[in-house]
């Protein structure tokens, strides 16, 4: 069976499909980053469950959704012991759009 480069397959996708795939990839990277953060902090799944009763549903949402709500991400970050800050980066400045406490 002859294989084709992914770039060739991507060219045949609709713009909507490419956008959807990009969003899914970003969410998978976010999920991976959060798991690495959890590991680097030395926190187990049990530790997180003690800090936040809905961690399993949050992890499930991160794994299965095509989009994630900021409140969900904020709850997860809180369970890790941090706070979420939403910042917009511009060439000459950064603007804090929201801080979740």
């Amino acid at each position: 069976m002859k294989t084709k480069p992914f770039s060739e397959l991507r060219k045949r996708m609709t713009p909507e499909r490419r956008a959807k795939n990009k969003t899914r990839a970003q969410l998978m990277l976010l999920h991976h980053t959060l798991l690495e953060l959890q590991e680097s902090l030395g926190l187990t799944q049990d530790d997180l469950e003690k800090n936040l009763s809905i961690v399993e549903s949050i992890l499930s949402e991160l794994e299965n959704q095509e989009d994630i709500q900021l409140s969900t991400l904020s709850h997860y970050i809180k369970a890790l012991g941090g706070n979420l800050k939403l910042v917009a980066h511009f060439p000459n400045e950064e603007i804090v759009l929201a801080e979740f406490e």
Side-chain angles (χ1 to χ4, degrees):
M1 176 192 267
K2 189 172 181 173
T3 61
K4 296 181 181 183
F6 188 72
S7 59
E8 212 175 292
L9 296 172
R10 185 181 297 129
K11 287 178 188 175
R12 291 193 278 161
M13 292 179 194
T14 65
E16 294 81 15
R17 180 66 181 201
R18 283 193 297 266
K20 184 176 182 178
N21 288 345
K22 182 178 179 180
T23 299
R24 289 184 70 126
Q26 289 172 329
L27 286 170
M28 287 189 299
L29 286 172
L30 173 61
H31 182 244
H32 183 71
T33 299
L34 291 173
L35 290 176
E36 285 182 342
L37 176 60
Q38 174 186 334
E39 186 178 309
S40 73
L41 292 170
L43 297 172
T44 65
Q45 190 69 27
D46 289 339
D47 294 330
L48 292 178
E49 288 173 10
K50 290 174 191 169
N51 292 331
L52 186 63
S53 61
I54 59 168
V55 164
E56 291 210 1
S57 66
I58 291 172
L59 289 176
S60 176
E61 184 173 337
L62 283 171
E63 292 169 353
N64 300 314
Q65 296 295 318
E66 293 181 18
D67 201 357
I68 183 172
Q69 293 183 7
L70 287 174
S71 59
T72 302
L73 182 57
S74 176
H75 289 322
Y76 187 85
I77 298 294
K78 281 183 187 178
L80 295 175
N83 289 309
L84 180 64
K85 182 189 291 187
L86 184 61
V87 178
H89 293 273
F90 294 95
N92 297 322
E93 67 180 315
E94 288 185 352
I95 298 173
V96 176
L97 300 175
E99 289 189 54
F100 300 85
E101 307 217 6

